[in-house]
Amino acid sequence: MYLVITPNAYEKYSIELRNMFRLRHRVFKERLGWDVTSVDGEERDQFDDLNPVYIVVLDDQRDVIGCWRLLPTMGPYMLADVFPALMDGRMAIHDPMIWECSRFAVDCSGHRENNLAAVASVTYELFMGLASFCVPRGISGVVTVYDLRIGRLMSRVGIKPHWKTSTRRIGDTAALAGYFPVNEANVAKAAAGAIDGTALWQPELTNTASLNSAHA
């Protein structure tokens, strides 16, 4: 089950969001040892202050087991403002029909189904949540910074980038950037792979122009 949480629903889903930040702390700070900022067991960065859209996957007990963050590329975003070197000389993307996904995290460690199949299923559901947000708004695809671990996972589940950059070392992480179309083929793969593609809540449809202006 997934939630697509737009800024006007932050208060309604405040518990789920706090649990999402805690999941990010467990994955990025504790498991991967990244140099990220965590306060009271919650990982956040400056892009969380820009009213992003969050995709959150919940298990049957409503524990957060996966998340993704979306921001329009018309404003500040991680690839352009923090990791421009990953673009291999390409110009930074600023397109209202292309958004950025960041802070991809999955943690099934507290569950009996903690295996590759479970992680793949959560990944499919995250992509289903992404599609449910992007498709009605005419958003054609997303750019993202990801490490080789995530790249291998995406490849296993059949969701592949239209283009990707060369791999560069960022601290202890081998990272690259890629563009993933949100198209019928990828959505069909996600729908087939997700154990439960149920949306607990769908945001009110808002056109892309108004969403971009909200982030200006």
Side-chain angles (χ1 to χ4, degrees):
M1 300 176 286
Y2 63 81
L3 292 168
V4 180
I5 305 176
T6 50
N8 63 339
Y10 284 0
E11 183 175 355
K12 180 177 181 180
Y13 293 101
S14 60
I15 293 175
E16 287 81 2
L17 288 175
R18 289 200 67 184
N19 288 335
M20 177 200 70
F21 291 124
R22 289 168 179 158
L23 177 145
R24 282 169 39 175
H25 168 83
R26 294 195 304 274
V27 170
F28 301 131
K29 188 77 170 181
E30 295 183 350
R31 182 192 304 168
L32 299 177
W34 288 5
D35 183 17
V36 295
T37 300
S38 287
V39 177
D40 296 329
E42 298 181 16
E43 187 276 320
R44 303 170 188 254
D45 66 15
Q46 66 269 35
F47 298 101
D48 291 303
D49 297 329
L50 301 179
N51 295 323
V53 174
Y54 296 105
I55 302 168
V56 176
V57 173
L58 307 177
D59 65 10
D60 292 341
Q61 289 74 46
R62 294 187 67 90
D63 292 329
V64 176
I65 55 175
C67 64
W68 226 351
R69 177 178 67 189
L70 290 91
L71 278 170
T73 60
M74 296 302 288
Y77 66 100
M78 183 174 286
L79 178 57
D81 293 88
V82 179
F83 301 118
L86 286 176
M87 289 297 287
D88 287 344
R90 290 181 173 90
M91 294 292 293
I93 295 171
H94 296 288
D95 185 327
M97 298 297 105
I98 298 176
W99 283 45
E100 182 195 51
C101 284
S102 59
R103 286 304 194 256
F104 175 97
V106 174
D107 182 13
C108 301
S109 59
H111 299 267
R112 181 179 57 189
E113 300 84 2
N114 180 25
N115 53 39
L116 181 59
V119 173
S121 175
V122 175
T123 302
Y124 282 124
E125 291 201 49
L126 287 169
F127 199 88
M128 286 292 291
L130 174 69
S132 74
F133 177 79
C134 291
V135 171
R137 295 165 175 79
I139 298 170
S140 59
V142 296
V143 291
T144 185
V145 176
Y146 58 104
D147 61 25
L148 292 180
R149 171 184 56 93
I150 299 303
R152 288 191 294 269
L153 176 59
M154 290 289 195
S155 180
R156 287 191 187 106
V157 301
I159 299 172
K160 299 180 180 180
H162 178 68
W163 58 257
K164 62 181 179 180
T165 65
S166 58
T167 302
R168 292 174 181 258
R169 180 66 58 178
I170 299 176
D172 295 328
T173 301
L176 65 160
Y179 170 75
F180 292 81
V182 181
N183 55 30
E184 291 184 4
N186 279 338
V187 172
K189 290 173 185 175
I195 291 175
D196 183 355
T198 304
L200 297 183
W201 173 76
Q202 289 286 356
E204 294 182 4
L205 294 186
T206 308
N207 64 46
T208 306
S210 65
L211 277 166
N212 277 308
S213 65
H215 291 81

